[in-house]
Amino acid sequence: MQQNSIMLFFMLLVGIGTIFFVSIFMSSLNADKDSTGVKNLLKKRFWFTLILIVVLGIFAAATLPKSPYFTFANETPSTVIHVGTMQFSFFLSTKPIDPKSPSGETIEIPHDQLVEFRVTSFDVNHGFAVYDPSMRLITQVQAMPGYVNNLRYKFTEPGKYHIFCLEFCGTGHPVMQATFKVI
Amino acid sequence: MFRYFICFFTLACFSFFVYANDNHSELREEQNIYGKIYNAPLHLSGSSKVTSVESLYSRKPLIVALVFTRCYGICNPYLLQLSENIKQLQSNTDFNVLVVSFDPRDNLKDMTNLAKQYRLENNRQWNFATTDSINEFINSIGFNPKWDSITQQFDHDALLVGVNEKGLITKNLLGIRTVDDLQLMIRSIHNVFIPSYRLPTKSNIFSCFNYDPKTQTNRPGLGLLFVALPAIITFLIVIIIVIKSKRAAA
Amino acid sequence: MNIESLKLKKISALWIIVILVLFIASIVLGILMRLNQGKVIEQSPLTFYTNMTTHGLTMIGIWFAAGMVAVNYLLQRYVKTSYGVNLFAFILTVIGVVMLWITTYAGKFSTGWTFLYPLPFRDLGSESWSTPLFLISLTVLGVGWLVWSVSLMAQILKKYTLSQAFAWQHFKSNASVETPPFILITTVTLIGVIASLIAAVIVIILYFAEYFSHGDFVNDALLMKNLIYFFGHTIANEMLYLGLAVIYEIFGEVSDRPKWKMTWYISLAWNCAMIFILTAFFHHLYMDFVQPQALQIVGQLASYLASIPSAAVTVFSIVAAVYGVKVRWSIVNLLFFLGVAGWVIGGLGAVIDATISNNIMLHNTLWVPAHFHTYNAMGNVLFSLGFFYWFSTQYVDKLVLSKLTKYTLALLIIGGIGFLMAFYVAGANSIPRRYSTYPVELTSGPYLAKVGALFASIYLIAILIFFYNIAKRCFVILSASSR
């Protein structure tokens, strides 16, 4: 549940930020008439900046290798699913999809095996977002006309998965969805 | 500035019309990806023993070419192009080539003659073979030649199949292709993940990047210039303002 | 009071009234959207998306204009600015906005503010004339603002040399000429604004090229997406910096604190910010795997780096100006202080989203509107409201912190926090953005939308009170004659 930890982490930061700004404000309200405020400003600023750079550097170093372009890159998928998108439907097939007369089929993906989605669009930009049976977004990629994006994923839980469009594509955008099964 | 931009733009549009070509080869190239190639028994030319496809791909990834020796059409130019492309590669030893006949009339002698035609009979990278399980083999690839009894010829595609060390098909190439496309295939049989590729249907000159398999990087395209253009024009505007205000001051 | 400064005051007062009226209208559109998502009211998807398009474009337009108005007004302290250009920009903005509202409401144009290629050509349900009119309205707005930005830039560079405008002389130990921080930030920001507007011009030209070629000329979707976010992201980011320039200039003044002096690190920070801001937009394309990985990583690093100069210099300076010092608090510096807090918190949400491995879970969920509404509705808007108050009260009456103002501020904070939390929680619950109604599977979506609408209405009440206070003083300025 990456989303939960993101939310928790964010709320923690917001809490720290709020306490910080409130205490700054209170310190001004409670200050004496002739107090001069922060001393050694330049030194404090230096340490603040240094800590900020180090923290962000660590954060970047820890998160960049987890980017989706690198996950599962060294494995061979067991299946490929072709995904064609059109206003306002998804076509999923184990065979290549003809843009002129697209058609899909019922998809069943074995669990714990690497699958590669080859996602493209036949008209406007669409999104291809996979939601697990508990309706959590687990992975996504954009569907762009003229390009094919390869998305690799290993499903661990069997069940019914939903696909939603996550790039605004017109008035039917919210009804654009599909499902597949992981067995 | 604006006038130059318009000129450049018109030129760009014009070249687009010239280069735009329409083919849907990509569609069929996507067939049977990650499917397992049929482990057919093979009779290799220059060898009396029966071997198998598996014993070839488990040693090194394989590029499979499907031909028949009595072909009047595409088979010869296509094999020639393949051998020329491979010669152009900088490192061309990390894979083998298997040329298989899909014509039951072909025997080992025909295949040996074919190898001699390209002076490849002593090249250990190249394997010329016939098989007794033609149908199983071509079905596992999705290759579908049609016999024409009038011309006594097969109507067929020029197909190259990339097979990795596990025997999975990772990429197909249809038609006579460039060395760049061949590089892409060689990358894929070595299990290198390519997160995206362009559809060949719209060879658009405004694309930002063109994947270059030779260097395994994206070459900047004309589109990238357009992305950088706002910054460049802003820079020019500032320079013009500075020069003008200096002149006004002087 | 001379005629020149009265003219500037009047045009600024006119801008402020128009901006606030459009702001209130756009908030109402936003609340309608949340109510529709919450199933309280029922609108057709087409109506929802025309509301969404209008809301997004109008908000970006007016708050950019608000920043420009403030900067133009304060710039008069240092250089002479052109009244004619200001008026020209005002007229073009009004025409552009009217045309925009016609395309959305009469033409049913509904592609969202991103108008991603090729959606404007395949927008279902809209009139065929709406796409060209939309492009024309963008052209009108773009031309007005471009002329305005270039004119202000030219005025700055008439007085200051290029290196002085960028405060490069402060890298040396003893600078002979001091560049006011306001001038540096304005210069840096105007560069970004001009670049983003030129990106918009290129997008419009490419769109028109395809429109007039009747399908012979086809654009590249990736290029268009890059250019649209170059324009959209950069202008949305730069309008925050316009607000910061105002804070640097008048925060000390209204708080009885010394004005901020230019130092080498302020100079360095803003020069760096100028570079980072022009490459940060790549984070909008993380989920487009076609974009080379190098650019994706540049996007994440630039987004991170952009936060360092702003946090280390601007936030730190505000904090240092307030910490442990008796400050004369008024509505103006309270709004500024609150705005900086909102900006920092929105920035935290943004840095989380700008991380590629998080973005795959958050991209185009409600987390995205959550963070940008934080630093707009609770950041940039407050910067501008602070300026509006300062502007409207300095000639009409005194700045006092009345009880009513305190309560209004409390309403603003409560409304803002509640409305934003509904967005954040929905984002963490994987609720997609830009859905007119939610699929039945996404159960928390409608519920959170109702909560959002409720708190947004509280926020609206606070804004209405502020509007009344500011507008009545602006009308006084408008009716004043030169004495």
Side-chain angles (χ1 to χ4, degrees):
Chain A
M1 293 303 169
Q2 200 182 332
Q3 281 95 337
N4 285 350
S5 37
I6 289 173
M7 190 67 191
L8 206 67
F9 180 58
F10 176 66
M11 288 316 293
L12 189 76
L13 291 179
V14 170
I16 294 170
T18 312
I19 292 169
F20 176 73
F21 277 100
V22 168
S23 61
I24 298 287
F25 182 63
M26 294 311 285
S27 81
S28 162
L29 287 188
N30 300 332
D32 296 333
K33 265 228 152 72
D34 40 33
S35 65
T36 48
V38 191
K39 291 191 184 66
N40 279 335
L41 195 61
L42 201 60
K43 214 173 172 185
K44 289 203 175 81
R45 190 193 298 270
F46 171 76
W47 285 109
F48 175 75
T49 314
L50 192 69
I51 292 169
L52 194 68
I53 290 174
V54 169
V55 167
L56 282 175
I58 292 171
F59 208 59
T63 56
L64 273 176
K66 289 184 187 157
S67 302
Y69 328 116
F70 311 121
T71 45
F72 308 115
N74 300 323
E75 297 173 52
T76 314
S78 62
T79 38
V80 60
I81 308 287
H82 300 272
V83 181
T85 56
M86 254 174 126
Q87 282 174 330
F88 300 100
S89 45
F90 290 99
F91 299 99
L92 276 77
S93 176
T94 49
K95 293 182 207 74
I97 301 164
D98 184 357
K100 282 180 183 142
S101 56
S103 66
E105 54 186 87
T106 318
I107 295 292
E108 287 188 347
I109 298 168
H111 72 281
D112 285 332
Q113 288 193 16
L114 187 60
V115 55
E116 182 173 305
F117 295 99
R118 301 201 161 180
V119 186
T120 189
S121 167
F122 304 137
D123 45 30
V124 301
N125 285 289
H126 294 282
F128 175 79
V130 181
Y131 282 64
D132 71 4
S134 66
M135 297 313 283
R136 252 179 207 280
L137 176 59
I138 50 173
T139 189
Q140 65 168 314
V141 75
Q142 292 268 305
M144 188 178 255
Y147 293 90
V148 180
N149 289 330
N150 296 350
L151 175 70
R152 290 183 171 186
Y153 198 78
K154 208 178 263 179
F155 296 96
T156 49
E157 295 284 316
K160 191 179 172 192
Y161 284 68
H162 285 259
I163 299 164
F164 290 112
C165 176
L166 248 60
E167 185 61 74
F168 178 60
C169 58
T171 44
H173 173 54
V175 297
M176 184 166 163
Q177 52 176 291
T179 56
F180 64 86
K181 256 194 194 146
V182 172
I183 48 168
Chain B
M1 187 63 214
F2 191 69
R3 196 171 43 186
Y4 288 118
F5 180 67
I6 290 293
C7 287
F8 173 73
F9 189 75
T10 330
L11 190 74
C13 294
F14 177 73
S15 9
F16 168 71
F17 299 136
V18 173
Y19 285 107
N21 64 337
D22 217 69
N23 67 68
H24 284 278
S25 63
E26 192 72 15
L27 181 67
R28 293 186 43 224
E29 284 186 359
E30 289 289 288
Q31 218 135 26
N32 294 31
I33 299 291
Y34 301 127
K36 194 139 192 166
I37 196 162
Y38 180 73
N39 185 19
L42 295 175
H43 306 280
L44 292 184
S45 73
S47 155
S48 54
K49 272 185 282 179
V50 176
T51 177
S52 70
V53 179
E54 183 177 2
S55 68
L56 285 179
Y57 66 64
S58 54
R59 257 185 285 154
K60 267 181 190 177
L62 210 54
I63 291 175
V64 179
L66 291 147
V67 297
F68 71 111
T69 57
R70 289 164 184 81
C71 183
Y72 301 148
I74 198 161
C75 286
N76 278 317
Y78 143 80
L79 270 187
L80 186 68
Q81 178 76 21
L82 177 63
S83 63
E84 288 302 315
N85 280 347
I86 289 176
K87 273 181 212 157
Q88 283 182 39
L89 297 177
Q90 273 156 2
S91 71
N92 57 6
T93 53
D94 49 0
F95 62 93
N96 284 331
V97 183
L98 171 64
V99 184
V100 187
S101 164
F102 57 88
D103 185 351
R105 295 171 298 174
D106 279 333
N107 56 30
L108 266 184
K109 208 175 160 201
D110 293 326
M111 294 311 281
T112 312
N113 286 336
L114 186 68
K116 279 183 182 154
Q117 213 177 310
Y118 298 99
R119 298 197 179 129
L120 290 167
E121 72 273 23
N122 296 323
N123 189 330
R124 296 195 57 191
Q125 191 179 16
W126 287 71
N127 304 284
F128 288 78
T130 59
T131 174
D132 300 332
S133 332
I134 292 174
N135 283 332
E136 290 92 332
F137 188 67
I138 63 177
N139 284 343
S140 73
I141 295 168
F143 182 69
N144 193 15
K146 290 201 175 63
W147 175 249
D148 185 339
S149 52
I150 300 164
T151 57
Q152 294 285 303
Q153 287 280 305
F154 285 99
D155 183 11
H156 70 105
D157 290 315
L159 179 70
L160 282 183
V161 185
V163 179
N164 71 5
E165 282 181 320
K166 289 178 187 154
L168 301 176
I169 297 168
T170 61
K171 188 155 183 66
N172 296 314
L173 289 180
L174 275 176
I176 294 178
R177 299 289 277 267
T178 62
V179 67
D180 282 2
D181 290 344
L182 186 69
Q183 283 272 16
L184 204 61
M185 172 179 260
I186 292 165
R187 296 254 292 150
S188 83
I189 57 179
H190 288 98
N191 297 322
V192 177
F193 178 47
I194 299 157
S196 78
Y197 54 91
R198 269 192 78 87
L199 290 175
T201 45
K202 285 172 185 160
S203 59
N204 195 329
I205 56 146
F206 277 172
S207 70
C208 300
F209 308 98
N210 300 301
Y211 185 75
D212 182 3
K214 222 179 274 174
T215 53
Q216 307 179 3
T217 49
N218 277 290
R219 261 183 317 210
L222 197 57
L224 200 63
L225 183 72
F226 278 69
V227 178
L229 209 55
I232 296 167
I233 295 177
T234 310
F235 180 72
L236 290 176
I237 289 177
V238 173
I239 296 297
I240 291 167
I241 293 174
V242 168
I243 292 168
K244 280 211 165 167
S245 49
K246 261 191 191 159
R247 265 194 209 150
Chain C
M1 206 185 294
N2 66 36
I3 289 192
E4 276 302 307
S5 78
L6 185 70
K7 268 159 79 181
L8 181 64
K9 235 165 268 167
K10 285 195 170 179
I11 186 78
S12 302
L14 196 59
W15 269 111
I16 289 170
I17 293 168
V18 170
I19 285 166
L20 286 176
V21 168
L22 285 172
F23 181 43
I24 290 165
S26 302
I27 296 179
V28 171
L29 292 180
I31 294 174
L32 284 179
M33 278 151 62
R34 287 306 258 166
L35 285 175
N36 191 56
Q37 289 172 330
K39 293 181 184 146
V40 180
I41 58 169
E42 213 168 296
Q43 289 180 323
S44 72
L46 194 58
T47 313
F48 178 91
Y49 289 119
T50 49
N51 286 346
M52 186 186 86
T53 309
T54 317
H55 172 89
L57 281 165
T58 311
M59 285 293 198
I60 291 185
I62 58 176
W63 293 112
F64 167 71
M68 289 292 283
V69 170
V71 161
N72 191 153
Y73 185 77
L74 292 170
L75 203 56
Q76 192 71 18
R77 293 177 167 188
Y78 301 98
V79 300
K80 199 183 148 352
T81 59
S82 161
Y83 170 76
V85 171
N86 196 329
L87 185 67
F88 173 74
F90 178 76
I91 293 168
L92 286 201
T93 304
V94 170
I95 295 173
V97 169
V98 169
M99 281 163 79
L100 189 72
W101 283 57
I102 291 173
T103 50
T104 52
Y105 285 108
K108 296 282 164 207
F109 186 82
S110 54
T111 62
W113 79 259
T114 47
F115 57 102
L116 278 186
Y117 174 84
L119 192 54
F121 294 135
R122 290 168 189 252
D123 186 16
L124 305 176
S126 62
E127 303 286 340
S128 56
W129 51 262
S130 70
T131 299
L133 189 63
F134 171 75
L135 294 175
I136 292 168
S137 75
L138 278 194
T139 313
V140 171
L141 290 172
V143 167
W145 296 343
L146 199 54
V147 169
W148 198 7
S149 319
V150 171
S151 154
L152 292 186
M153 189 83 204
Q155 297 302 333
I156 290 174
L157 290 178
K158 247 183 209 165
K159 179 164 171 188
Y160 301 91
T161 65
L162 194 63
S163 67
Q164 281 169 358
F166 284 107
W168 289 336
Q169 80 274 21
H170 286 273
F171 293 145
K172 284 183 236 153
S173 54
N174 46 356
S176 50
V177 187
E178 196 202 324
T179 309
F182 178 77
I183 293 294
L184 166 69
I185 303 170
T186 306
T187 311
V188 162
T189 310
L190 285 176
I191 297 268
V193 168
I194 293 170
S196 72
L197 290 174
I198 287 170
V201 170
I202 296 173
V203 169
I204 293 168
I205 292 173
L206 289 174
Y207 261 118
F208 269 128
E210 180 160 342
Y211 182 78
F212 287 119
S213 78
H214 298 288
D216 292 335
F217 167 72
V218 182
N219 275 298
D220 183 273
L222 182 66
L223 170 64
M224 294 299 266
K225 196 169 182 182
N226 271 299
L227 283 173
I228 284 170
Y229 283 114
F230 191 136
F231 155 64
H233 174 83
T234 311
I235 200 160
N237 211 327
E238 299 288 358
M239 69 190 191
L240 263 160
Y241 287 179
L242 291 172
L244 289 182
V246 174
I247 292 189
Y248 271 74
E249 182 66 17
I250 60 178
F251 188 85
E253 215 169 294
V254 293
S255 312
D256 268 348
R257 295 282 290 150
K259 196 169 182 169
W260 292 334
K261 287 263 182 304
M262 174 61 81
T263 52
W264 64 268
Y265 50 83
I266 292 185
S267 165
L268 179 69
W270 282 97
N271 276 284
C272 289
M274 178 173 70
I275 309 291
F276 299 143
I277 214 76
L278 289 180
T279 46
F281 77 93
F282 287 129
H283 63 219
H284 284 266
L285 289 105
Y286 283 160
M287 290 304 113
D288 288 283
F289 292 5
V290 270
Q291 190 95 322
Q293 283 149 21
L295 289 190
Q296 311 282 29
I297 290 164
V298 165
Q300 178 166 342
L301 294 181
S303 309
Y304 277 25
L305 288 170
S307 70
I308 291 173
S310 38
V313 173
T314 308
V315 177
F316 201 90
S317 300
I318 290 263
V319 165
V322 171
Y323 183 75
V325 189
K326 201 89 200 157
V327 170
R328 186 182 58 179
W329 288 104
S330 67
I331 179 75
V332 176
N333 50 13
L334 263 183
L335 281 169
F336 285 163
F337 189 74
L338 207 59
V340 169
W343 177 49
V344 168
I345 289 169
L348 294 172
V351 166
I352 288 175
D353 192 29
T355 307
I356 303 171
S357 58
N358 292 335
N359 190 265
I360 194 162
M361 305 295 170
L362 301 175
H363 190 85
N364 280 351
T365 66
L366 282 175
W367 188 277
V368 182
H371 85 258
F372 73 67
H373 277 94
T374 312
Y375 53 63
N376 285 322
M378 293 305 280
N380 193 27
V381 167
L382 306 195
F383 298 162
S384 289
L385 281 181
F387 169 77
F388 293 170
Y389 255 107
W390 175 83
F391 169 81
S392 67
T393 48
Q394 61 175 335
Y395 302 102
V396 181
D397 53 11
K398 281 253 157 62
L399 277 171
V400 277
L401 202 53
S402 68
K403 255 213 170 97
L404 178 71
T405 327
K406 280 184 193 163
Y407 289 139
T408 317
L409 263 182
L411 278 184
L412 188 84
I413 295 170
I414 293 167
I417 290 175
F419 144 73
L420 293 169
M421 279 313 289
F423 268 150
Y424 279 112
V425 173
N429 271 335
S430 314
I431 308 291
R433 71 191 283 208
R434 294 184 178 139
Y435 270 30
S436 57
T437 47
Y438 295 111
V440 281
E441 292 88 356
L442 301 169
T443 41
S444 63
Y447 171 71
L448 287 166
K450 269 183 256 179
V451 174
L454 175 73
F455 280 97
S457 310
I458 298 174
Y459 182 86
L460 176 62
I461 294 170
I463 294 294
L464 283 172
I465 297 170
F466 284 142
F467 169 69
Y468 172 74
N469 284 332
I470 293 167
K472 75 172 181 205
R473 297 190 180 104
C474 283
F475 276 116
V476 175
I477 294 173
L478 275 180
S479 57
S481 58
S482 57
R483 275 162 284 172

